[in-house]
Amino acid sequence: MTADIETALDFAEPGLGRRTRAIVEDMGTAIVTGVHAPGELLPVEADLGVRYGASRSVLREAIKVLNAKGLVTARPRLGTSVTQPSQWNLFDPDVLRWTLRRNFSLPLLIEFTMVRLGIEPLAAAMAARRGSAEAHERIRAGFARMSAAHRGADDPLAADIAFHLAILDASGNSFYCRLKPLVSAALHFSIRYTDNIARDEEAKLAQHREVMEAILSRDADRSEQTARTLLLDAKALMEGGLDPMQIEGAAA
C-alpha cells in the first residue's frame, strides 16, 4: 500500500475494516478520476476478488459504501455500474477529496468556500457564546500550533486545519461538528493553494489571532465578523487565479 493511500485512509469511514477501506479508496479514486467511466460496468465480483485478494463479503461491503457515496448503482443480474457525476455526493469527504484530486478544480473549491461562509462565521459566534473553557483551550492550542508552524516548528497545514476544526467543535452544534471531515478534506486543498500564492504570512497569522481573541473574549459579533473576513480573503485569493467567466460560474 502506498504512502498516499495510507494518508488517504485517514479520511475514510472509521467503522470499516482496513481492507474494505483500502478497496473503497482504490475503486473510488478510479471512478472519480475517470478510470471507470460513467455508465461503465465494474468488473464482476470474482475478478475483483482476484484483484484485491478479498473475500466476497468484503467486496460487497465496499460496493455498499461506494453506492452510499453515489458513485455506483448495483442491480440484480445487471451488475454494478458507475453513476453520472451529477449523482456523486460532494458532501461526502472522500468524494470531495477524490474530485479535487482528479483534476484540481479551483471553481469547485471556491464554491465550497462559499458553503463554509454560511457555516464557520456562525460557528465562531456560537463558540464565543457557549464554548466551554476546554473547547476554547483547543482553539488556543490550534493557534499556538499555527504560530509554531510559522517559526518552522510544526506542520502548517495540520496546524491550520486543527484551528478551524476546533472552532466547529467549540460551537456545540452537533451538525457543525459532523462537518469536520468535510471541512478538513477541503482545507487540505484550499490551504495548499492559498499558501502557494504570494501573501503576507504575518497578516494571515494575525487574522487567525483576531478570530481566536474574539472567541476567547466571548464577543460573538466580532467572532462572526472576523471569521467571515478570513474566509472572504481566502476566497478572493482563489478568485485571483481565475478569469472573470470562471469566477461567475463558481459564484452561480
Side-chain angles (χ1 to χ4, degrees):
M1 189 179 297
T2 67
D4 183 55
I5 296 297
E6 289 279 2
T7 301
L9 290 180
D10 293 339
F11 291 92
E13 286 86 346
L16 297 178
R18 188 162 186 80
R19 182 175 293 275
T20 304
R21 292 165 63 198
I23 294 171
V24 169
E25 177 70 24
D26 187 70
M27 293 183 68
T29 300
I31 290 169
V32 174
T33 57
V35 174
H36 298 299
E40 177 184 336
L41 285 173
L42 293 179
V44 297
E45 196 172 81
D47 291 340
L48 289 175
V50 171
R51 176 189 297 180
Y52 293 111
S55 67
R56 183 174 297 178
S57 61
V58 167
L59 289 170
R60 289 180 177 176
E61 185 178 29
I63 293 298
K64 284 181 181 178
V65 173
L66 294 172
N67 183 286
K69 295 177 184 297
L71 298 182
V72 302
T73 181
R75 297 174 182 170
R77 295 184 297 278
L78 294 178
T80 301
S81 60
V82 177
T83 58
Q84 296 296 323
S86 59
Q87 295 178 257
W88 299 349
N89 179 15
L90 285 179
F91 280 99
D92 182 285
D94 289 330
V95 177
L96 177 62
R97 175 170 54 86
W98 294 329
T99 301
L100 288 169
R101 191 170 65 189
R102 172 189 63 183
N103 182 15
F104 181 77
S105 170
L106 197 49
L108 180 63
L109 203 54
I110 292 171
E111 286 181 355
F112 188 76
T113 301
M114 294 169 72
V115 173
R116 291 178 61 202
L117 274 163
I119 296 169
E120 293 184 54
L122 293 177
M126 294 168 68
R129 288 194 188 97
R130 63 188 195 186
S132 66
E134 182 182 358
H136 281 192
E137 186 56 36
R138 285 195 293 269
I139 295 173
R140 193 194 307 274
F143 181 76
R145 288 190 63 185
M146 290 188 68
S147 297
H150 186 60
R151 300 190 303 271
D154 203 333
D155 178 72
L157 180 62
D160 205 333
I161 290 173
F163 177 83
H164 287 277
L165 298 192
I167 292 174
L168 291 177
D169 264 335
S171 73
N173 183 296
S174 299
F175 292 96
Y176 285 177
C177 292
R178 293 282 290 180
L179 290 172
K180 288 197 301 177
L182 182 66
V183 172
S184 178
L187 282 171
H188 270 77
F189 290 90
S190 64
I191 293 172
R192 282 172 178 162
Y193 178 81
T194 54
D195 280 357
N196 282 331
I197 300 172
R199 61 188 305 194
D200 187 338
E201 289 299 321
E202 289 286 353
K204 173 189 171 182
L205 193 63
Q207 280 189 310
H208 284 76
R209 181 186 293 108
E210 288 176 6
V211 175
M212 177 192 68
E213 290 176 346
I215 293 173
L216 297 184
S217 66
R218 298 196 178 276
D219 186 333
D221 289 341
R222 188 160 67 93
S223 297
E224 181 175 351
Q225 179 182 355
T226 53
R228 178 171 288 109
T229 298
L230 184 65
L231 285 167
L232 286 172
D233 285 355
K235 177 173 171 283
L237 280 172
M238 296 176 202
E239 289 176 341
L242 297 178
D243 63 46
M245 290 300 291
Q246 285 177 301
I247 293 173
E248 183 178 343

